[in-house]
Amino acid sequence: MSVEAAPPQPAEGVVMWNINTTCNYRCSYCTQRFLDDRTRWARDTPQFLAGFRRLPGRWEVKISGGEPFLHPTLIEIVAALAQMGHRVSVVTNFSASEAKLDQFLAAAGSALRVFSASLHREYVRTEAELTAFIEKARRVAAQLPAGGTLNVTCVATRRNLPELPALARRLAAAGIRFKTQPEKQNRDVIAYTEAERSQLLALGGHSGLGVIAPSFQGRLCWAGASAFTLDDRGAAWRCYPARRYRREYLGNFLDGTFTLFDGARPCQYAYCNCAVPIERGLMAR
Ligand code: SF4
Ligand code: SF4
């Protein structure tokens, strides 16, 4: 029997960091919990930064939440990551003020890789609000460093789906990349009808990957060695499905127990629910 070859190890690792759990929105499709202990987050910042300093080589730290712009030391963290030589990406509901966004862009500087603005139509409802959202995105896009990209994402709820093709065209006309995300309930993709699946696939499926629920079960994947998820308490897992099933725990960033795998390992999960490892070429496809 032939043994499948792993893809080449990516030159740069990726950390998918849920920096906090608090959010100023309460979207109906949100998969996060809402806790609010900001004192702890501020106190933990030096230990998180020490953990990032210990990582071997260069990593892209993709910061999401909750809503990361509510984190009390976000700007300090981003500046420190850039200073360490890591790169920074962010996923935000884009409700932060322009002044706060400018502070973030200045702190990230040339280290900024992907700025992902999530459009939540339950909060950006009117035409005026949508126009303001797009203008704000154009403003950020105009300030990106070389190699930095901005995209707008929207969850393809049944209610949103019919409006998304026009939205995609409108964003394209503004020079902005648009990506859809399938709606999940209890972390699994909802039971779209065949017609809805076709509509979603015509929009690129999950984050432009051309599929709705990617699966690489049994294939070799570098997650755990060149990628991992990190939660707001410092707990690290191989990837989001690993965290969901509480398998392949990598230890805690804050107490010194964190360790990476030493190579690619087979995927144990039927649904690879995060586009980041796929876009970074971590698994044999
Ligand atoms: S903005 Fe994001 S984290 Fe906040 S409620 Fe909506 S989906 Fe959840
Ligand atoms: S679920 Fe995705 S990221 Fe996780 S091990 Fe499998 S292929 Fe890799």
Side-chain angles (χ1 to χ4, degrees):
M1 194 174 80
S2 67
V3 177
E4 174 201 30
Q9 184 167 15
E12 181 177 301
V14 56
V15 187
M16 294 158 279
W17 185 18
N18 295 93
I19 195 170
N20 60 6
T21 51
T22 198
C23 189
N24 50 331
Y25 290 179
R26 293 288 183 273
C27 304
S28 61
Y29 42 76
C30 184
T31 54
Q32 308 288 320
R33 300 166 296 129
F34 302 106
L35 304 172
D36 200 353
D37 178 4
R38 298 212 209 175
T39 324
R40 194 194 82 233
W41 292 328
R43 195 180 62 232
D44 289 348
T45 294
Q47 291 163 275
F48 272 109
L49 293 178
F52 289 116
R53 217 168 269 120
R54 284 193 293 269
L55 287 175
R58 189 183 209 196
W59 291 68
E60 174 192 350
V61 182
K62 183 195 161 215
I63 301 172
S64 61
E67 170 47 43
F69 278 86
L70 297 180
H71 192 286
T73 61
L74 176 71
I75 304 302
E76 178 189 324
I77 287 167
V78 167
L81 290 171
Q83 197 268 331
M84 282 176 217
H86 293 317
R87 296 209 285 176
V88 176
S89 294
V90 72
V91 180
T92 170
N93 66 24
F94 216 35
S95 60
S97 67
E98 290 189 347
K100 187 84 181 179
L101 292 171
D102 288 350
Q103 282 178 29
F104 172 87
L105 293 167
S110 61
L112 184 61
R113 184 165 184 199
V114 182
F115 191 108
S116 187
S118 307
L119 173 61
H120 296 292
R121 293 309 309 264
E122 292 172 5
Y123 289 87
V124 181
R125 297 189 187 94
T126 65
E127 172 56 30
E129 287 166 345
L130 182 58
T131 300
F133 183 101
I134 294 171
E135 276 313 304
K136 203 171 172 186
R138 282 168 60 119
R139 188 176 172 279
V140 169
Q143 296 181 68
L144 293 179
T149 58
L150 175 137
N151 59 64
V152 167
T153 68
C154 189
V155 174
T157 61
R158 292 205 155 92
R159 188 167 174 194
N160 281 343
L161 206 41
E163 297 173 7
L164 294 184
L167 178 64
R169 287 193 294 275
R170 187 167 168 183
L171 288 166
I176 295 170
R177 173 107 199 262
F178 176 60
K179 295 180 176 182
T180 51
Q181 293 171 338
E183 180 178 355
K184 293 173 207 160
Q185 292 292 350
N186 298 321
R187 300 185 192 150
D188 285 319
V189 175
I190 62 168
Y192 287 112
T193 64
E194 272 311 308
E196 289 166 342
R197 287 178 61 82
S198 299
Q199 282 178 292
L200 185 48
L201 286 169
L203 289 158
H206 179 28
S207 292
L209 295 169
V211 288
I212 294 174
S215 177
F216 309 99
Q217 196 165 18
R219 313 254 189 97
L220 289 171
C221 174
W222 285 100
S226 294
F228 61 94
T229 65
L230 187 61
D231 75 9
D232 58 296
R233 292 176 178 270
W237 274 271
R238 182 183 191 187
C239 59
Y240 282 115
R243 180 157 108 191
R244 173 181 181 182
Y245 293 108
R246 294 292 191 261
R247 291 188 208 155
E248 301 188 284
Y249 181 56
L250 302 179
N252 192 290
F253 229 50
L254 307 184
D255 68 9
T257 57
F258 172 78
T259 50
L260 289 163
F261 294 169
D262 55 7
R265 296 188 186 181
C267 168
Q268 304 184 16
Y269 311 99
Y271 172 31
C272 185
N273 67 359
C274 174
V276 173
I278 305 171
E279 288 167 345
R280 306 303 185 272
L282 287 164
M283 65 288 292
R285 295 169 70 179

